[in-house]
PDB file of all heavy atoms in Angstrom:
ATOM      1  N   ILE S  61     -12.185  -4.204  11.374  1.00  0.00           N
ATOM      2  CA  ILE S  61     -11.416  -5.492  11.556  1.00  0.00           C
ATOM      3  C   ILE S  61     -10.088  -5.169  12.118  1.00  0.00           C
ATOM      4  O   ILE S  61      -9.413  -4.242  11.611  1.00  0.00           O
ATOM      5  CB  ILE S  61     -11.282  -6.193  10.159  1.00  0.00           C
ATOM      6  CG1 ILE S  61     -12.644  -6.471   9.576  1.00  0.00           C
ATOM      7  CG2 ILE S  61     -10.463  -7.509  10.322  1.00  0.00           C
ATOM      8  CD1 ILE S  61     -12.563  -7.009   8.159  1.00  0.00           C
ATOM      9  N   GLY S  62      -9.615  -5.898  13.064  1.00  0.00           N
ATOM     10  CA  GLY S  62      -8.331  -5.753  13.718  1.00  0.00           C
ATOM     11  C   GLY S  62      -7.269  -6.504  12.979  1.00  0.00           C
ATOM     12  O   GLY S  62      -7.513  -7.283  12.055  1.00  0.00           O
ATOM     13  N   PRO S  63      -5.976  -6.283  13.429  1.00  0.00           N
ATOM     14  CA  PRO S  63      -4.855  -6.972  12.764  1.00  0.00           C
ATOM     15  C   PRO S  63      -4.797  -8.433  13.006  1.00  0.00           C
ATOM     16  O   PRO S  63      -5.215  -8.889  14.070  1.00  0.00           O
ATOM     17  CB  PRO S  63      -3.641  -6.216  13.350  1.00  0.00           C
ATOM     18  CG  PRO S  63      -4.102  -5.840  14.695  1.00  0.00           C
ATOM     19  CD  PRO S  63      -5.539  -5.495  14.543  1.00  0.00           C
ATOM     20  N   ALA S  64      -4.342  -9.212  12.088  1.00  0.00           N
ATOM     21  CA  ALA S  64      -4.165 -10.655  12.245  1.00  0.00           C
ATOM     22  C   ALA S  64      -2.919 -11.050  13.044  1.00  0.00           C
ATOM     23  O   ALA S  64      -2.784 -12.145  13.531  1.00  0.00           O
ATOM     24  CB  ALA S  64      -4.146 -11.338  10.885  1.00  0.00           C
ATOM     25  N   VAL S  65      -1.958 -10.051  13.122  1.00  0.00           N
ATOM     26  CA  VAL S  65      -0.739 -10.311  13.898  1.00  0.00           C
ATOM     27  C   VAL S  65      -0.505  -9.044  14.695  1.00  0.00           C
ATOM     28  O   VAL S  65      -0.652  -7.926  14.232  1.00  0.00           O
ATOM     29  CB  VAL S  65       0.445 -10.493  12.879  1.00  0.00           C
ATOM     30  CG1 VAL S  65       1.792 -10.689  13.658  1.00  0.00           C
ATOM     31  CG2 VAL S  65       0.174 -11.650  11.905  1.00  0.00           C
ATOM     32  N   GLN S  66      -0.083  -9.215  15.949  1.00  0.00           N
ATOM     33  CA  GLN S  66       0.223  -8.134  16.880  1.00  0.00           C
ATOM     34  C   GLN S  66       1.716  -7.751  16.706  1.00  0.00           C
ATOM     35  O   GLN S  66       2.529  -8.615  16.384  1.00  0.00           O
ATOM     36  CB  GLN S  66      -0.062  -8.501  18.296  1.00  0.00           C
ATOM     37  CG  GLN S  66      -1.526  -8.755  18.575  1.00  0.00           C
ATOM     38  CD  GLN S  66      -2.396  -7.562  18.313  1.00  0.00           C
ATOM     39  OE1 GLN S  66      -1.976  -6.451  18.596  1.00  0.00           O
ATOM     40  NE2 GLN S  66      -3.662  -7.764  17.804  1.00  0.00           N
ATOM     41  N   PRO S  67       2.079  -6.519  17.000  1.00  0.00           N
ATOM     42  CA  PRO S  67       3.446  -6.075  16.922  1.00  0.00           C
ATOM     43  C   PRO S  67       4.436  -6.946  17.716  1.00  0.00           C
ATOM     44  O   PRO S  67       5.507  -7.229  17.187  1.00  0.00           O
ATOM     45  CB  PRO S  67       3.412  -4.671  17.463  1.00  0.00           C
ATOM     46  CG  PRO S  67       2.075  -4.214  17.245  1.00  0.00           C
ATOM     47  CD  PRO S  67       1.151  -5.374  17.444  1.00  0.00           C
ATOM     48  N   ALA S  68       3.984  -7.394  18.864  1.00  0.00           N
ATOM     49  CA  ALA S  68       4.900  -8.236  19.678  1.00  0.00           C
ATOM     50  C   ALA S  68       5.212  -9.559  19.020  1.00  0.00           C
ATOM     51  O   ALA S  68       6.178 -10.244  19.408  1.00  0.00           O
ATOM     52  CB  ALA S  68       4.222  -8.442  21.087  1.00  0.00           C
ATOM     53  N   ASP S  69       4.327  -9.992  18.075  1.00  0.00           N
ATOM     54  CA  ASP S  69       4.511 -11.284  17.447  1.00  0.00           C
ATOM     55  C   ASP S  69       5.281 -11.198  16.129  1.00  0.00           C
ATOM     56  O   ASP S  69       5.558 -12.209  15.475  1.00  0.00           O
ATOM     57  CB  ASP S  69       3.184 -11.927  17.173  1.00  0.00           C
ATOM     58  CG  ASP S  69       2.378 -12.230  18.501  1.00  0.00           C
ATOM     59  OD1 ASP S  69       3.082 -12.601  19.452  1.00  0.00           O
ATOM     60  OD2 ASP S  69       1.207 -12.064  18.522  1.00  0.00           O
ATOM     61  N   LEU S  70       5.663  -9.983  15.722  1.00  0.00           N
ATOM     62  CA  LEU S  70       6.464  -9.855  14.514  1.00  0.00           C
ATOM     63  C   LEU S  70       7.908 -10.063  14.748  1.00  0.00           C
ATOM     64  O   LEU S  70       8.467  -9.859  15.809  1.00  0.00           O
ATOM     65  CB  LEU S  70       6.312  -8.370  14.024  1.00  0.00           C
ATOM     66  CG  LEU S  70       4.974  -7.924  13.371  1.00  0.00           C
ATOM     67  CD1 LEU S  70       5.042  -6.469  13.114  1.00  0.00           C
ATOM     68  CD2 LEU S  70       4.684  -8.662  12.095  1.00  0.00           C
ATOM     69  N   PRO S  71       8.609 -10.629  13.725  1.00  0.00           N
ATOM     70  CA  PRO S  71      10.080 -10.674  13.827  1.00  0.00           C
ATOM     71  C   PRO S  71      10.662  -9.210  13.753  1.00  0.00           C
ATOM     72  O   PRO S  71       9.941  -8.306  13.516  1.00  0.00           O
ATOM     73  CB  PRO S  71      10.403 -11.472  12.595  1.00  0.00           C
ATOM     74  CG  PRO S  71       9.355 -11.219  11.624  1.00  0.00           C
ATOM     75  CD  PRO S  71       8.103 -11.088  12.445  1.00  0.00           C
ATOM     76  N   ASP S  72      11.924  -9.187  14.049  1.00  0.00           N
ATOM     77  CA  ASP S  72      12.592  -7.844  13.972  1.00  0.00           C
ATOM     78  C   ASP S  72      12.439  -7.316  12.530  1.00  0.00           C
ATOM     79  O   ASP S  72      12.757  -8.006  11.551  1.00  0.00           O
ATOM     80  CB  ASP S  72      14.035  -7.904  14.333  1.00  0.00           C
ATOM     81  CG  ASP S  72      14.237  -8.229  15.788  1.00  0.00           C
ATOM     82  OD1 ASP S  72      13.337  -7.918  16.606  1.00  0.00           O
ATOM     83  OD2 ASP S  72      15.381  -8.683  16.192  1.00  0.00           O
ATOM     84  N   VAL S  73      11.967  -6.076  12.391  1.00  0.00           N
ATOM     85  CA  VAL S  73      11.754  -5.447  11.045  1.00  0.00           C
ATOM     86  C   VAL S  73      12.923  -4.350  10.801  1.00  0.00           C
ATOM     87  O   VAL S  73      13.237  -3.636  11.688  1.00  0.00           O
ATOM     88  CB  VAL S  73      10.368  -4.800  11.073  1.00  0.00           C
ATOM     89  CG1 VAL S  73      10.220  -3.893   9.837  1.00  0.00           C
ATOM     90  CG2 VAL S  73       9.321  -5.847  11.054  1.00  0.00           C
ATOM     91  N   ASP S  74      13.409  -4.429   9.599  1.00  0.00           N
ATOM     92  CA  ASP S  74      14.537  -3.563   9.235  1.00  0.00           C
ATOM     93  C   ASP S  74      14.129  -2.144   8.869  1.00  0.00           C
ATOM     94  O   ASP S  74      14.851  -1.143   9.068  1.00  0.00           O
ATOM     95  CB  ASP S  74      15.308  -4.125   8.103  1.00  0.00           C
ATOM     96  CG  ASP S  74      15.863  -5.525   8.401  1.00  0.00           C
ATOM     97  OD1 ASP S  74      16.730  -5.603   9.324  1.00  0.00           O
ATOM     98  OD2 ASP S  74      15.518  -6.497   7.755  1.00  0.00           O
ATOM     99  N   ALA S  75      12.945  -2.035   8.261  1.00  0.00           N
ATOM    100  CA  ALA S  75      12.417  -0.757   7.846  1.00  0.00           C
ATOM    101  C   ALA S  75      10.896  -0.801   7.670  1.00  0.00           C
ATOM    102  O   ALA S  75      10.325  -1.800   7.345  1.00  0.00           O
ATOM    103  CB  ALA S  75      13.040  -0.318   6.508  1.00  0.00           C
ATOM    104  N   VAL S  76      10.304   0.409   7.885  1.00  0.00           N
ATOM    105  CA  VAL S  76       8.886   0.559   7.588  1.00  0.00           C
ATOM    106  C   VAL S  76       8.760   1.418   6.336  1.00  0.00           C
ATOM    107  O   VAL S  76       9.449   2.481   6.220  1.00  0.00           O
ATOM    108  CB  VAL S  76       8.138   1.248   8.761  1.00  0.00           C
ATOM    109  CG1 VAL S  76       6.822   1.865   8.312  1.00  0.00           C
ATOM    110  CG2 VAL S  76       7.930   0.256   9.888  1.00  0.00           C
ATOM    111  N   LEU S  77       7.919   1.001   5.389  1.00  0.00           N
ATOM    112  CA  LEU S  77       7.639   1.767   4.224  1.00  0.00           C
ATOM    113  C   LEU S  77       6.213   2.404   4.454  1.00  0.00           C
ATOM    114  O   LEU S  77       5.218   1.670   4.400  1.00  0.00           O
ATOM    115  CB  LEU S  77       7.621   0.943   3.013  1.00  0.00           C
ATOM    116  CG  LEU S  77       8.916   0.178   2.734  1.00  0.00           C
ATOM    117  CD1 LEU S  77       8.779  -0.697   1.430  1.00  0.00           C
ATOM    118  CD2 LEU S  77      10.088   1.123   2.591  1.00  0.00           C
ATOM    119  N   LEU S  78       6.205   3.692   4.778  1.00  0.00           N
ATOM    120  CA  LEU S  78       4.901   4.387   5.170  1.00  0.00           C
ATOM    121  C   LEU S  78       4.454   5.293   4.053  1.00  0.00           C
ATOM    122  O   LEU S  78       5.094   6.324   3.811  1.00  0.00           O
ATOM    123  CB  LEU S  78       5.208   5.120   6.481  1.00  0.00           C
ATOM    124  CG  LEU S  78       4.053   5.926   7.075  1.00  0.00           C
ATOM    125  CD1 LEU S  78       2.847   5.053   7.393  1.00  0.00           C
ATOM    126  CD2 LEU S  78       4.518   6.718   8.315  1.00  0.00           C
ATOM    127  N   THR S  79       3.368   4.903   3.343  1.00  0.00           N
ATOM    128  CA  THR S  79       2.928   5.665   2.191  1.00  0.00           C
ATOM    129  C   THR S  79       2.459   7.047   2.608  1.00  0.00           C
ATOM    130  O   THR S  79       2.571   8.001   1.861  1.00  0.00           O
ATOM    131  CB  THR S  79       1.819   4.887   1.463  1.00  0.00           C
ATOM    132  OG1 THR S  79       0.695   4.783   2.306  1.00  0.00           O
ATOM    133  CG2 THR S  79       2.266   3.556   0.994  1.00  0.00           C
ATOM    134  N   HIS S  80       1.891   7.201   3.824  1.00  0.00           N
ATOM    135  CA  HIS S  80       1.550   8.503   4.372  1.00  0.00           C
ATOM    136  C   HIS S  80       1.228   8.296   5.860  1.00  0.00           C
ATOM    137  O   HIS S  80       0.796   7.234   6.262  1.00  0.00           O
ATOM    138  CB  HIS S  80       0.447   9.188   3.610  1.00  0.00           C
ATOM    139  CG  HIS S  80      -0.911   8.470   3.534  1.00  0.00           C
ATOM    140  ND1 HIS S  80      -0.981   7.203   2.968  1.00  0.00           N
ATOM    141  CD2 HIS S  80      -2.115   8.817   3.910  1.00  0.00           C
ATOM    142  CE1 HIS S  80      -2.261   6.895   2.967  1.00  0.00           C
ATOM    143  NE2 HIS S  80      -2.974   7.780   3.538  1.00  0.00           N
ATOM    144  N   ASP S  81       1.449   9.360   6.631  1.00  0.00           N
ATOM    145  CA  ASP S  81       1.399   9.244   8.120  1.00  0.00           C
ATOM    146  C   ASP S  81       0.120   9.948   8.667  1.00  0.00           C
ATOM    147  O   ASP S  81      -0.130   9.836   9.859  1.00  0.00           O
ATOM    148  CB  ASP S  81       2.587   9.963   8.660  1.00  0.00           C
ATOM    149  CG  ASP S  81       2.605  11.475   8.502  1.00  0.00           C
ATOM    150  OD1 ASP S  81       2.457  11.944   7.385  1.00  0.00           O
ATOM    151  OD2 ASP S  81       2.667  12.203   9.511  1.00  0.00           O
TER     152      ASP S  81
END
Side-chain angles (χ1 to χ4, degrees):
I61 301 173
V65 180
Q66 296 297 324
D69 298 322
L70 287 173
D72 290 340
V73 167
D74 300 298
V76 162
L77 305 179
L78 180 59
T79 64
H80 57 302
D81 70 304

